[in-house]
Amino acid sequence: SCWGYSYRGLWDITVEVRDVPKPVRYFREANFLDYCMQAITKSGFVEPTPIQSQGWPMALKGRDMIGIVQIGYGKTLSYLLPGLVHVGAQPRLEQGDGPIVLILAPTRELSVQIQEESAKFGSYSRTRSTCIYGGASKGPQIRDLRRGVEIVIATPGRLIDMLEAGHTNLRRVTYLVLDEADRMLDMGFEPQIQKILAQACIRPDRQTLYWSATWPREVESLARQFLQNPYKVIIGSLDL
Ligand code: ADP
Ligand code: MG
C-alpha cells in the first residue's frame, strides 16, 4: 500500500480511519462485475476520479461511509456502481417489495441526473430504477413504484407522500445513499429525512453512504445518528 499513500497525496485524498482499503488506480482493479465493466467501457471514461478511486473499494467492503467531496467529482458513480453490485447480491424483488437501494437527493434536477446514470449503468444488469420528485404528476411515479424497482431515487417530500399513500415501502432497503446532505439540510428537509430514515433503517444489514460538499455541525450530527463505524474520505480540503 505504499503507492496507495502516494496516490492519496497526489490527489489530495484524506482518509480518517485505520485499515482503509487502498484506492484503485484502474477500473479493472475495483473488482466490479462484468456488466459494470461493460458499462464503464461504453462510457468512454479513461480512469476513475479520485473519489471513485478511494470510494469504490470502501463501498464494496459493505461498510458505511462518508464522502466529503465537491460538486463535479464523479460522486454519482462512486455510490451507484457499488449499489448495482449490492443489488446483484440480494434476493430478487417479490411482489409488493419496495426498493433495495434508496438514494435521497435535494432537487428534482439532481434526481433526474442520477436516474439517467442509473438507467444507463443499470441496464447492463437489468436493474430497474425510477425517480420520485415533487412538482410532477404522480401517476407515472406510482406506476413505477408499484411495478417494482430495485433502485429508487427520491426527493424527501414526494417520497413521504408515496410512503404515506402506501405506494411503496422501505422494508427492503439495505443500501441507503444521502447525496448532497448539506444541501438537503439547507433546504429544510431535516424532518422529512428523519422520518424517511426511521423507516429505511430497520435492517441491521443496511449500508449507508453519506455525501456532502461541506461539513458543518448539523451535517455531521445527522451522520452520527445514522452511520455505524463509517469510513470517511475527504477530497481536497474542508475549508472551502
Ligand atoms: P458530482 O456528483 O460529484 O457532482 P457527477 O457524478 O455528476 O459529479 O459527475 C460529473 C461528470 O463527470 C458527469 O458528467 C459524469 O458522467 C462524469 N464522470 C464521472 N466519472 C467519470 C470518470 N471516471 N471519468 C470521466 N468523467 C466522469
Ligand atoms: Mg452529484
Side-chain angles (χ1 to χ4, degrees):
S1 72
C2 158
W3 70 261
Y5 179 76
S6 56
Y7 180 92
R8 288 188 188 124
L10 183 63
W11 293 106
D12 218 354
I13 299 174
T14 310
V15 288
E16 279 198 5
V17 281
R18 282 175 211 284
D19 305 320
V20 167
K22 73 178 187 181
V24 297
R25 274 185 297 183
Y26 308 105
F27 293 121
R28 63 182 145 76
E29 277 183 279
N31 282 323
F32 285 132
L33 305 172
D34 284 348
Y35 56 76
C36 288
M37 286 309 297
Q38 240 180 305
I40 289 170
T41 308
K42 274 265 174 66
S43 72
F45 297 156
V46 177
E47 58 183 5
T49 67
I51 184 56
Q52 291 164 358
S53 167
Q54 182 63 75
W56 282 335
M58 284 177 163
L60 289 169
K61 286 256 180 209
R63 284 255 303 264
D64 286 359
M65 67 169 289
I66 294 170
I68 307 174
V69 193
Q70 283 160 271
I71 306 297
Y73 276 56
K75 281 193 291 298
T76 316
L77 289 183
S78 304
Y79 59 73
L80 201 54
L81 297 186
L84 290 169
V85 173
H86 179 94
V87 167
Q90 301 299 312
R92 280 169 179 279
L93 286 190
E94 290 180 25
Q95 185 73 30
D97 278 351
I100 295 166
V101 171
L102 174 64
I103 300 166
L104 291 180
T107 64
R108 168 187 182 147
E109 291 70 32
L110 186 59
S111 319
V112 170
Q113 277 172 32
I114 299 167
Q115 164 61 12
E116 280 166 5
E117 298 223 37
S118 182
K120 184 165 123 200
F121 285 84
S123 66
Y124 294 85
S125 55
R126 305 224 174 117
T127 304
R128 298 160 295 180
S129 60
T130 194
C131 64
I132 301 299
Y133 48 79
S137 75
K138 289 187 178 164
Q141 301 181 359
I142 294 171
R143 202 177 51 224
D144 285 349
L145 289 174
R146 292 211 164 259
R147 202 181 288 154
V149 279
E150 286 80 12
I151 301 181
V152 166
I153 301 131
T155 55
R158 178 57 66 96
L159 179 60
I160 287 183
D161 292 349
M162 294 297 184
L163 289 167
E164 284 176 351
H167 297 308
T168 189
N169 66 78
L170 304 179
R171 292 190 291 273
R172 280 216 51 187
V173 173
T174 44
Y175 192 95
L176 173 64
V177 179
L178 283 90
D179 198 358
E180 303 200 9
D182 51 353
R183 244 175 111 200
M184 288 201 281
L185 293 184
D186 277 348
M187 292 170 70
F189 282 136
E190 162 123 39
Q192 289 92 329
I193 293 173
Q194 293 281 359
K195 206 165 176 180
I196 291 165
L197 295 197
Q199 293 189 37
C201 291
I202 51 173
R203 301 227 347 184
D205 55 345
R206 179 194 84 254
Q207 179 180 9
T208 304
L209 299 92
Y210 192 89
W211 304 86
S212 188
T214 59
W215 201 241
R217 196 171 303 142
E218 320 78 75
V219 177
E220 181 174 1
S221 83
L222 189 65
R224 257 180 224 288
Q225 228 183 306
F226 292 102
L227 300 174
Q228 282 183 345
N229 195 18
Y231 288 128
K232 185 172 177 189
V233 54
I234 302 161
I235 307 294
S237 139
L238 275 183
D239 349 289
L240 301 170

